[in-house]
Amino acid sequence: DNLCAIAGICKVDCCTGLPKEPEQVHIALTRDASEMNVMWTTLEDTTTHTVKWGTDSGNFNQTSSNGTSSTYTHFGWVGHLHRAKITGLQPGQQYFYSVGSDDGSFSKVFTFNTLHEDAGSDAHPLRVASIGDMGYGPLSDDSVAQLTKLVEAGEIDVVVHNGDISYADGEMGHWDVFMRKVEPIASRVPYQVTPGNHEFWFNFSAYNHRFVMPDEGSHDNHFYGFSVGNPESANDNYTENVHFVAMDTESSIDLAYMSKEQIQWHEGELAAAQQARWIVAYGHRPLYCSNHGGQDIPKGNAVLREAIEKQLQQANVDLVIQAHVHDYERSYPVYNEQLVSTSYNDAQSPVYVVNGAAGNREGNDNPPGNSSSQDYWPAINHTNVTSYGIFTVTTNTLTWRQYVAADGSVLDEFNLTKSA
């Protein structure tokens, strides 16, 4: 069947229900805290692309019918990808919503909670799940199950999946399997993404069509920024609690790359981020990792350091989340391949986390980890363990915990702290 689809002879239907029945529902933040992008998939296109919402599950008193749809046909895929926007949201509020069309059908009712106005503070910590390199197959089952439980318990506010999303690798039906698999998570909390190398098929077409990130498609959803939370005190030196900067580390030839256009954009975004107490950057390929020998590693690391490391350093970025290597590790504060400090208090350079361990068909990288003799790596590289991260941001502390997916036990923990 795969060869038949690749040859363009067979068709690969996206969906399991009626032709215009929505599935694969997921949401994402915009640059405006009062908005939420909503995306879904149907087999056949619909005349409208509507999201209805309200604070009462039985009374949707708000409707947006000016959504859009798009499609692609690579490797025989058949389906339509819809997007619409919820507006006028209030902070710290539960909302209910349904998507669909009058000429088709509407989905079941989903729910999400907006972030508190001071999210990322002591009063309302921001809790972000970090996953990378997570595929559609059974090796991600434990990660998905753990994250689903946390979402249902209201213990996660946002998910960041920084590349290698589904491991479809051109088999477009596997995208659909993955998006159905993560719907219990991604329909309830914003699911923020960046592209990985496994998305490069057909110039990232599936990724570009399936996701709408805070750039609203202006950079094909590959790189963007957004802020979360306002400080509790009007006398605070900052006007944002956390600023997120998403990076595109990919190219059409499956090698590390950042365009001059993107670098220039990041310079402006990072300058604007100076009003934030915390700055978190994320992208797929690592600038730093101790486990060498993977695809385009370590050569690609040097390419990315040359492209963006100086800007990250000068902008006082606190944390850089990476993936691509199928393990988990963290650095000490490091710049220009030199150890800056073995302390995470008032760090003067970024801390780099590798977190590509959420589970995929390639398996996790095997020991030995810590193949680097560099002194900026603590001895905590965890290979051959499927895991996910959750970092919690408060006023002066960012706490990262890495969890074993099989049982939810803590694999590693560290705290970044600011004295002011």
Side-chain angles (χ1 to χ4, degrees), residues 391-407:
F391 64 96
T392 302
V393 187
T394 60
T395 303
N396 291 316
T397 305
L398 188 158
T399 298
W400 184 292
R401 292 185 180 92
Q402 191 74 9
Y403 293 92
V404 177
D407 59 12

Side-chain angles (χ1 to χ4, degrees), residues 222-298:
H222 287 215
F223 57 95
Y224 54 87
F226 62 97
S227 63
V228 170
N230 300 312
E232 298 163 285
S233 170
N235 299 321
D236 201 292
N237 293 326
Y238 302 97
T239 59
E240 302 174 4
N241 286 339
V242 192
H243 199 98
F244 290 89
V245 181
M247 304 181 293
D248 177 10
T249 63
E250 302 308 308
S251 69
S252 60
I253 56 173
D254 200 7
L255 295 174
Y257 175 72
M258 294 183 80
S259 68
K260 291 181 179 178
E261 174 205 7
Q262 183 185 173
I263 297 301
Q264 185 175 17
W265 181 89
H266 277 302
E267 289 174 350
E269 186 71 15
L270 289 167
Q274 296 310 296
Q275 60 193 334
R277 183 184 302 275
W278 294 96
I279 306 176
V280 177
Y282 57 92
H284 183 62
R285 295 177 191 250
L287 281 71
Y288 288 96
C289 62
S290 74
N291 218 341
H292 290 177
Q295 193 267 342
D296 196 31
I297 291 175

Side-chain angles (χ1 to χ4, degrees), residues 178-191:
F178 179 83
M179 296 308 296
R180 284 192 289 269
K181 184 173 187 173
V182 299
E183 185 186 74
I185 302 165
S187 63
R188 294 191 61 168
V189 297
Y191 201 87

Side-chain angles (χ1 to χ4, degrees), residues 30-295:
T30 80
R31 280 188 177 269
D32 186 335
S34 70
E35 298 177 345
M36 190 74 75
N37 279 321
V38 188
M39 294 139 278
W40 67 95
T41 306
T42 60
L43 180 63
E44 294 180 1
D45 203 5
T46 53
T47 55
T48 61
H49 321 279
T50 301
V51 56
K52 301 177 180 180
W53 72 93
T55 55
D56 182 341
S57 61
N59 180 23
F60 295 143
N61 56 2
Q62 301 287 322
T63 301
S64 172
S65 299
N66 59 352
T68 60
S69 68
S70 63
T71 189
Y72 59 86
T73 57
H74 308 303
F75 282 177
W77 188 78
V78 180
H80 293 268
L81 301 150
H82 308 261
R83 61 202 60 87
K85 185 175 289 186
I86 296 175
T87 58
L89 298 172
Q90 298 298 310
Q93 176 71 54
Q94 183 178 21
Y95 286 90
F96 300 88
Y97 71 100
S98 176
V99 300
S101 173
D102 289 333
D103 70 316
S105 62
F106 277 83
S107 69
K108 68 178 184 180
V109 176
F110 296 95
T111 184
F112 66 85
N113 291 314
T114 52
L115 298 172
H116 288 276
E117 191 169 11
D118 59 348
S121 67
D122 292 342
H124 293 110
L126 177 69
R127 303 154 304 175
V128 182
S130 166
I131 51 176
D133 296 71
M134 193 169 82
Y136 70 90
L139 289 175
S140 66
D141 286 357
D142 287 344
S143 293
V144 170
Q146 294 285 358
L147 292 172
T148 299
K149 285 194 295 185
L150 290 166
V151 167
E152 289 175 349
E155 296 178 12
I156 294 176
D157 301 308
V158 180
V159 172
V160 168
H161 188 163
N162 53 320
D164 283 6
I165 305 161
S166 85
Y167 279 73
D169 283 324
E171 292 192 38
M172 296 303 170
H174 290 166
W175 271 105
D176 302 309
V177 173
F178 179 83
M179 296 308 296
R180 284 192 289 269
K181 184 173 187 173
V182 299
E183 185 186 74
I185 302 165
S187 63
R188 294 191 61 168
V189 297
Y191 201 87
Q192 309 298 122
V193 296
T194 56
N197 56 305
H198 283 270
E199 283 79 83
F200 88 105
W201 292 78
F202 304 104
N203 197 26
F204 301 90
S205 182
Y207 174 96
N208 297 346
H209 284 275
R210 287 176 180 270
F211 298 105
V212 180
M213 290 295 108
D215 71 320
E216 304 291 343
S218 61
H219 307 127
D220 290 327
N221 310 299
H222 287 215
F223 57 95
Y224 54 87
F226 62 97
S227 63
V228 170
N230 300 312
E232 298 163 285
S233 170
N235 299 321
D236 201 292
N237 293 326
Y238 302 97
T239 59
E240 302 174 4
N241 286 339
V242 192
H243 199 98
F244 290 89
V245 181
M247 304 181 293
D248 177 10
T249 63
E250 302 308 308
S251 69
S252 60
I253 56 173
D254 200 7
L255 295 174
Y257 175 72
M258 294 183 80
S259 68
K260 291 181 179 178
E261 174 205 7
Q262 183 185 173
I263 297 301
Q264 185 175 17
W265 181 89
H266 277 302
E267 289 174 350
E269 186 71 15
L270 289 167
Q274 296 310 296
Q275 60 193 334
R277 183 184 302 275
W278 294 96
I279 306 176
V280 177
Y282 57 92
H284 183 62
R285 295 177 191 250
L287 281 71
Y288 288 96
C289 62
S290 74
N291 218 341
H292 290 177
Q295 193 267 342

